[in-house]
Amino acid sequence: MLKQEPSSKPGIHFMTRIAYLFAFLSLLTLVTSNSSFNGTSQASADNSTGSGYTQDQLDALDFLNSVRAKVGVPPVKLNVAITRAAENHASHYNDNKSQLTGLKAHSEIEGGPGFTGTKAKDRLIAAGYTASSKYGLSTGEVMHFNQKSSSEAMQGWLDTAYHRDIILDPYFSEIGIGLVDGTAVVDMAGPTIISSKNDILAVYPYNQQTNVPVGFYGQEIPNPLDRFKVKFSGYIISATAEDTITNPQVEIKDNLGNAVPYYEELQGNTLFVYPKSVLKGHHTYTVSLTYSTSKNAESKSKTWSFTTGEGQALNYFEPFTTEITLNQDEQQQTIWISHYDDTTADEKTEGMRYISSNDKGLRISASGMITAIKPGDYTIKATLEGQTSLVKVKVYPKWKTKNYSSALKALPLDSTGHSLRETLEWGLKEGIITPASNGKLKPDATVSEAEFWMMLLKTYRVNITSYQSGKQTLVDAAYQISKDRNYPLAGIAKKEKRNQPIDRLEIAEIVAAADGMYFNGYNAVQYVLAKGYVRGVTELSYAGYEGDRNVTKAEALVILKHLQGSLYSLKGRPLQPTDKSALPEMPQKEVYIKPATYKDQSFFAQYELDGRLILEGKFLSLKGQSVVIKVQEGPVSVHIEDITVQFDETGNFHAEVGPYTPQRLNLYLSDTSKSSLRFLSVEKGTINQF
């Protein structure tokens, strides 16, 4: 459970949890509607019952309690004051919705129409609620919009992670249900401590549940899928114990016994499991969980199963790229993207069939692996659920190769003291570079397009001489290779461009082409950075890549040595530009070099592989002050701890904290007013700076 907050009312302690749910239609309403109106309860007096509650409220209560019974937690009962607080807040939201976006929906605007309290606990008190338990009080609140009934809202909350966790929480014993002009609010209350001899483990979907939805699509704020960097998952599976869960081990199997991969999130006494793919329709899944708790180290286990309802329907499928290039005798796995009626898309291709236009030149296996047998142009036809899709395949002749290794071991005198000496020695030994006739290597001379292209071919041991014909020079032969394979060299059409300096932007386009992709400009930069083929100059970012910068011979060797370790072979560029959808996501910014000194307003973090975190920076406005840095787990900010750092009289600070275990940390540096001055995210084993 969350940290207790002292109430303004003596003798009561509050724990408040809030969550906020939206559907697509609700989001449109929030964005486009600026009008406010006075709402009245959708369940009118005509629908009221002798109990004083509306039929809508009683139906929703019955529905929720039936689910709570099946998952194994006690029922909740309606409370007049809590219900009044929920209805009041729904009305206030409707009257002020343009100012209450996102999680602000759970607050109220003081002085605004219908204001009853900034926080849920304040609104309960204002409505006349008092806690009866000697163990204090915990509260929770969930909201949903554009709802026709409170029961419909309940189902929506059950179909999420954090909202489900609140309405199925075993600690809550009382509930208030409000539905005002489509805005559904549920407030819940209960003691902060419960005593049970049943050793509760509440799971949802519950055992033997049927017609379970197949997917979750991130329609929740906070969105739990953000931490996994995905937009959808299979239907969420959750397990809630009375105490903090420790050492959970989960296994999910489909009805064929196949293991289902998943993401996992542990939040105190609740474990959330997100299958990595949308589940199959009309399929039975079995979940096995082994765990212990903070108060009982003894291992416990539970196994249960559920059956899904209607599944996805395939709209269409397509190849990941419309054209594939590879060399003779090479293999490559084809990738196909299936698009479904629930707006999701993935690489799930179970049941796909393939046909090659000429299996004597290009063979494809039942799993979609192509083998290039003969040079030529081919087409692969794929069939899935009665639909077909095509991908073009260009097979280039096998490279003619040569060993360029040199007997030269010692660097020329103009290179012996160079900062990149080891790389220069590598280039000399591999025969990628050779001294000029005067014996000099000129490592700091700017490299031309022709020189870089020749160096690239030699790095991959392409025998340039064997491609010469007639009176062609070696450079002419190298450019003929680039033309035949559609490489983006300016010197193909204009020979005068061959001797002009090459910049890092053109290098990115050439490297992308070498991997069989046709990307231009900073799309090419994103591709090579994301694939790890080329590093930036100062940092991993568009700006840090410095695309307009020319390269020296030594710097070109650094690029090529790194590339050789990550790119297996040189392919060719497709005839048509590659769709941007094939671009990998731009990696998080990463600084390569720790600065010797800091400029004003600098915030630096170094996250070691052993979990230690080194923090430094400079803020002249904070000289002599102490400030707080919030350390949170990323990518979704889950709070770990606050640390206090002291700025010296020069405005600098230094702190070493940890160790921490998350792969990524989010860091918030705040001043004495608790307003955030700087945000920084850093991956383990890297450094970063703002």
Side-chain angles (χ1 to χ4, degrees), residues 409-667:
K409 296 182 179 180
L411 287 174
L413 292 177
D414 68 336
S415 304
T416 53
H418 200 278
S419 60
L420 297 175
R421 175 175 177 169
E422 289 186 6
T423 302
L424 290 167
E425 288 176 341
W426 169 81
L428 190 66
K429 180 181 177 181
E430 295 295 319
I432 299 169
I433 56 172
T434 55
S437 57
N438 61 5
K440 293 184 177 182
L441 204 56
K442 297 182 179 180
D444 295 321
T446 302
V447 171
S448 68
E449 180 187 80
E451 288 173 319
F452 181 83
W453 178 241
M454 297 276 282
M455 291 169 68
L456 175 62
L457 292 176
K458 289 180 179 180
T459 299
Y460 285 85
R461 299 190 173 185
V462 175
N463 187 353
I464 304 172
T465 305
S466 65
Y467 290 90
Q468 281 181 285
S469 61
K471 297 182 179 180
Q472 275 188 333
T473 65
L474 203 60
V475 172
D476 289 337
Y479 271 87
Q480 186 61 49
I481 293 171
S482 67
K483 182 178 179 180
D484 291 343
R485 292 184 177 240
N486 198 34
Y487 275 85
L489 300 184
I492 295 175
K494 297 180 180 180
K495 286 191 175 183
E496 64 273 16
K497 297 283 188 179
R498 297 180 179 182
N499 294 323
Q500 292 184 2
I502 191 170
D503 61 33
R504 289 174 54 85
L505 191 62
E506 186 179 356
I507 289 174
E509 294 176 345
I510 291 171
V511 172
D515 199 30
M517 296 291 176
Y518 189 158
F519 289 122
N520 293 321
Y522 275 87
N523 285 335
V525 171
Q526 178 173 330
Y527 185 79
V528 300
L529 287 175
K531 297 288 285 187
Y533 292 152
V534 185
R535 287 167 58 89
V537 177
T538 59
E539 62 184 31
L540 199 166
S541 68
Y542 295 113
Y545 183 81
E546 298 188 14
D548 58 352
R549 174 173 169 163
N550 298 329
V551 297
T552 65
K553 186 178 294 184
E555 290 168 343
L557 284 173
V558 170
I559 292 172
L560 294 172
K561 186 178 181 182
H562 179 79
L563 180 65
Q564 186 189 49
S566 52
L567 183 63
Y568 172 72
S569 67
L570 303 180
K571 299 177 183 178
R573 189 175 70 161
L575 295 178
Q576 299 298 322
T578 306
D579 192 275
K580 291 181 182 179
S581 62
L583 270 175
E585 184 178 348
M586 185 68 173
Q588 178 184 312
K589 175 185 171 183
E590 176 187 339
V591 177
Y592 299 139
I593 303 171
K594 180 181 178 180
T597 59
Y598 296 107
K599 297 179 181 179
D600 188 23
Q601 304 289 306
S602 295
F603 183 22
F604 171 85
Q606 181 172 339
Y607 191 17
E608 301 285 3
L609 289 173
D610 62 7
R612 290 182 300 116
L613 180 64
I614 300 170
L615 301 171
E616 295 179 345
K618 183 175 183 178
F619 288 80
L620 293 175
S621 61
L622 298 176
K623 289 188 295 185
Q625 297 184 37
S626 295
V627 302
V628 170
I629 296 177
K630 293 184 179 296
V631 181
Q632 301 185 348
E633 178 182 353
V636 177
S637 291
V638 178
H639 191 68
I640 299 175
E641 66 172 336
D642 288 346
I643 60 172
T644 301
V645 298
Q646 179 68 43
F647 284 81
D648 62 23
E649 292 305 316
T650 65
N652 288 279
F653 81 91
H654 173 92
E656 296 187 20
V657 294
Y660 303 111
T661 57
Q663 183 61 29
R664 183 194 298 184
L665 294 177
N666 289 345
L667 308 169

Side-chain angles (χ1 to χ4, degrees), residues 20-25 160 163 216-221 223 225:
Y20 170 65
L21 177 66
F22 71 92
F24 180 67
L25 182 59
T160 66
H163 295 73
F216 173 67
Y217 307 97
Q219 292 171 312
E220 181 174 21
I221 297 177
N223 181 0
L225 298 183

Side-chain angles (χ1 to χ4, degrees), residues 47 256 262 337 352 356 381 499 542 570 660:
N47 293 327
L256 298 177
Y262 59 86
I337 308 299
M352 189 172 287
S356 170
K381 177 181 178 181
N499 294 323
Y542 295 113
L570 303 180
Y660 303 111

